[in-house]
Amino acid sequence: MHQEQHLRNSDFITDAVIGLSDGLTVPFALAAGLSGAVASNGIIVTAGIAEIVAGSIAMGLGGYLAGKTEIEHYDSELRREHNEVEAVPEKEKAEIRDIFADYGLSEDSQTRIVEELAKDKDKWVDFMMKFELGLERPTLNRARNSALTIGGAYVLGGFVPLLGYFFTDLPLQGLMVSSALTIACLFIFGYFKGKATGQPPIKGAFKVMIVGIIAAGAAFLVAQFLNNNL
Amino acid sequence: MHQEQHLRNSDFITDAVIGLSDGLTVPFALAAGLSGAVASNGIIVTAGIAEIVAGSIAMGLGGYLAGKTEIEHYDSELRREHNEVEAVPEKEKAEIRDIFADYGLSEDSQTRIVEELAKDKDKWVDFMMKFELGLERPTLNRARNSALTIGGAYVLGGFVPLLGYFFTDLPLQGLMVSSALTIACLFIFGYFKGKATGQPPIKGAFKVMIVGIIAAGAAFLVAQFLNNNL
């Protein structure tokens, strides 16, 4: 229970953090950049929503495919360990001895562990996978959850910076409202992120906010430069 | 060596895959969406580059922060295990016995392992971290590499779809060149991704290409719909 609960929380938080922070930051920065380059809020909102659709699908599917890649990687390592246990059992046994020697176990105990493990080849291989390679088979369920969490968090985060352009007439007005809203949300989100990960929440809030401002500021400056020089 | 090499490859591949696939897909889809909504390639290139700057910073910093969050998570679990080993040593010993019981080790061996491990509390805690919780302390170096790999791959991928708009005059011409270039790159990238992860390369190529087309197609249709209805 202890283990399961902690790992799941961490996965979900990591996914939500990635999706939300990118969702707040990228459409915000894109909209900010376009604010000085186009005459109507309609194009900014269109571009922003196109970005949210593309970004959430790319990140969600990206997360899903990364999860599937991990499963395939696990399976190919599993076949490899099975072959090694058949082909070079003494080498594999020495690897197990080394693991336990590192934790200070006696030679005698090392030998007993190895001989008892080697009785069942499937369990032996499972043991090598987990304790030598540090790999656990990720579930497809996990890959799906990751995809939905990242994609959903991206959409949620992405609409915040666009709100400013819905309720104003001119791009630069939209930019001011959008910046105020987004920076406030980055701060609040950073606060809860800090709490969830056991950091000091105020430090977490400032960290996330400053990252968002840097990304948006850089995109804004580059877009301004291009607009003036293209 | 075996372990290190495999894990590092997998991390690098995962990071590069995420960065490249998002970099190819998101600016491609954004540019495609804008192609039907604006009159000049200049705005599309400006928006695309603003997106690449924002996206690479957000993804790179996102990867870096995710790595740092993992380190903080590890450290808080480490403190927790230290406290548990002090407060409820018999419970922690029973957890170790359970781990080895699952692999078919005799009661006698379980007892010997536990008693030898418990002699050194630091090693005992390290053992619990790795073998009960499945956690290894990620390095800050790893977080930095991840940030640079994801960010760099995003920039690299992102310029491909924009190339079409540099060398044409009208958005819809740009869209045709961009689509041809990007879809070809998605196919090639998917082929090498498949090879690197031990999948059938042609299957990998089609998978990545179709994902890119879906994301770009969805963004294009949504942008068209908004442009016609806003």
Side-chain angles (χ1 to χ4, degrees):
Chain A
M1 275 307 291
H2 177 76
Q3 171 185 8
E4 289 284 306
Q5 194 189 341
H6 278 262
L7 290 178
R8 273 190 206 147
N9 278 348
S10 167
D11 287 339
F12 178 79
I13 289 168
T14 303
D15 290 344
V17 160
I18 292 172
L20 269 172
S21 58
D22 285 4
L24 279 169
T25 307
V26 182
F28 172 42
L30 174 66
L34 288 175
S35 295
V38 300
S40 95
N41 283 7
I43 292 177
I44 296 173
V45 170
T46 301
I49 291 177
E51 209 287 331
I52 291 171
V53 171
S56 60
I57 293 176
M59 289 196 80
L61 271 171
Y64 179 72
L65 290 178
K68 281 193 76 169
T69 302
E70 263 182 72
I71 293 173
E72 286 152 11
H73 177 68
Y74 182 92
D75 290 343
S76 89
E77 290 289 319
L78 186 68
R79 282 191 296 275
R80 185 190 168 120
E81 283 297 334
H82 264 293
N83 293 340
E84 286 180 356
V85 160
E86 291 292 339
V88 285
E90 293 310 317
K91 188 172 153 284
E92 296 299 296
K93 285 182 182 178
E95 285 172 2
I96 294 180
R97 300 180 72 101
D98 287 345
I99 292 172
F100 289 105
D102 286 346
Y103 290 97
L105 259 64
S106 65
E107 294 251 338
D108 186 36
S109 291
Q110 293 168 30
T111 306
R112 291 178 61 135
I113 294 170
V114 165
E115 292 313 324
E116 289 188 22
L117 265 178
K119 283 181 199 156
D120 182 334
K121 274 185 183 156
D122 285 335
K123 287 190 174 169
W124 185 7
V125 168
D126 282 350
F127 186 89
M128 300 297 286
M129 290 300 288
K130 188 163 176 202
F131 297 149
E132 186 207 353
L133 297 180
L135 295 177
E136 281 186 81
R137 193 172 198 281
T139 64
L140 201 60
N141 204 23
R142 161 88 192 92
R144 245 182 249 124
N145 288 350
S146 177
L148 291 173
T149 307
I150 292 181
Y154 195 90
V155 171
L156 212 68
F159 272 98
V160 171
L162 295 188
L163 283 177
Y165 299 89
F166 282 119
F167 302 118
T168 57
D169 295 323
L170 294 174
L172 289 176
Q173 293 170 345
L175 178 58
M176 282 191 293
V177 179
S178 171
S179 299
L181 257 179
T182 307
I183 290 169
C185 282
L186 285 166
F187 192 87
I188 294 168
F189 158 69
Y191 183 89
F192 286 107
K193 185 195 156 194
K195 270 199 138 169
T197 55
Q199 297 175 277
I202 295 289
K203 189 183 155 203
F206 273 102
K207 209 157 70 180
V208 168
M209 190 182 71
I210 287 166
V211 165
I213 293 172
I214 288 172
F220 179 78
L221 291 176
V222 168
Q224 291 294 304
F225 176 83
L226 290 173
N227 193 49
N228 295 333
N229 292 278
L230 274 189
Chain B
M1 275 308 291
H2 177 73
Q3 172 186 8
E4 289 285 305
Q5 196 188 336
H6 278 262
L7 290 178
R8 272 189 207 146
N9 279 349
S10 167
D11 286 339
F12 179 79
I13 288 168
T14 304
D15 289 344
V17 160
I18 291 171
L20 269 172
S21 58
D22 285 4
L24 279 169
T25 307
V26 182
F28 173 41
L30 175 66
L34 288 175
S35 294
V38 301
S40 96
N41 283 6
I43 292 177
I44 296 173
V45 170
T46 301
I49 291 177
E51 208 289 329
I52 291 170
V53 171
S56 60
I57 293 177
M59 290 197 80
L61 271 172
Y64 180 71
L65 290 178
K68 282 193 76 170
T69 301
E70 261 182 73
I71 294 172
E72 286 152 14
H73 177 69
Y74 181 91
D75 290 341
S76 89
E77 290 289 320
L78 187 67
R79 281 191 298 275
R80 185 191 167 118
E81 283 297 334
H82 264 292
N83 293 340
E84 287 181 353
V85 159
E86 292 293 339
V88 286
E90 292 311 316
K91 190 172 152 281
E92 296 298 295
K93 284 182 183 176
E95 285 172 3
I96 294 180
R97 299 180 73 102
D98 287 346
I99 293 171
F100 289 106
D102 286 346
Y103 290 97
L105 259 65
S106 64
E107 295 251 337
D108 187 36
S109 291
Q110 293 169 28
T111 306
R112 290 177 61 133
I113 295 170
V114 166
E115 293 312 323
E116 288 187 24
L117 266 178
K119 284 182 198 154
D120 182 334
K121 274 185 183 155
D122 285 335
K123 286 190 173 167
W124 185 7
V125 168
D126 282 351
F127 186 88
M128 298 298 285
M129 289 300 290
K130 189 164 176 200
F131 296 148
E132 187 206 353
L133 297 181
L135 295 175
E136 282 187 81
R137 195 173 196 282
T139 64
L140 200 59
N141 204 22
R142 161 88 191 93
R144 242 181 250 122
N145 288 349
S146 176
L148 291 173
T149 307
I150 292 181
Y154 195 92
V155 172
L156 212 68
F159 272 98
V160 170
L162 295 188
L163 283 176
Y165 299 90
F166 282 119
F167 302 117
T168 57
D169 295 321
L170 295 174
L172 289 176
Q173 293 170 345
L175 178 59
M176 281 190 294
V177 179
S178 171
S179 300
L181 257 179
T182 307
I183 290 169
C185 282
L186 285 166
F187 192 86
I188 294 167
F189 159 68
Y191 184 89
F192 286 106
K193 185 195 155 192
K195 269 199 142 169
T197 55
Q199 296 174 278
I202 295 290
K203 189 184 155 202
F206 273 102
K207 210 157 68 179
V208 167
M209 191 182 71
I210 288 166
V211 167
I213 293 173
I214 288 171
F220 179 78
L221 291 176
V222 168
Q224 290 294 306
F225 176 82
L226 290 173
N227 193 47
N228 294 332
N229 293 280
L230 275 187

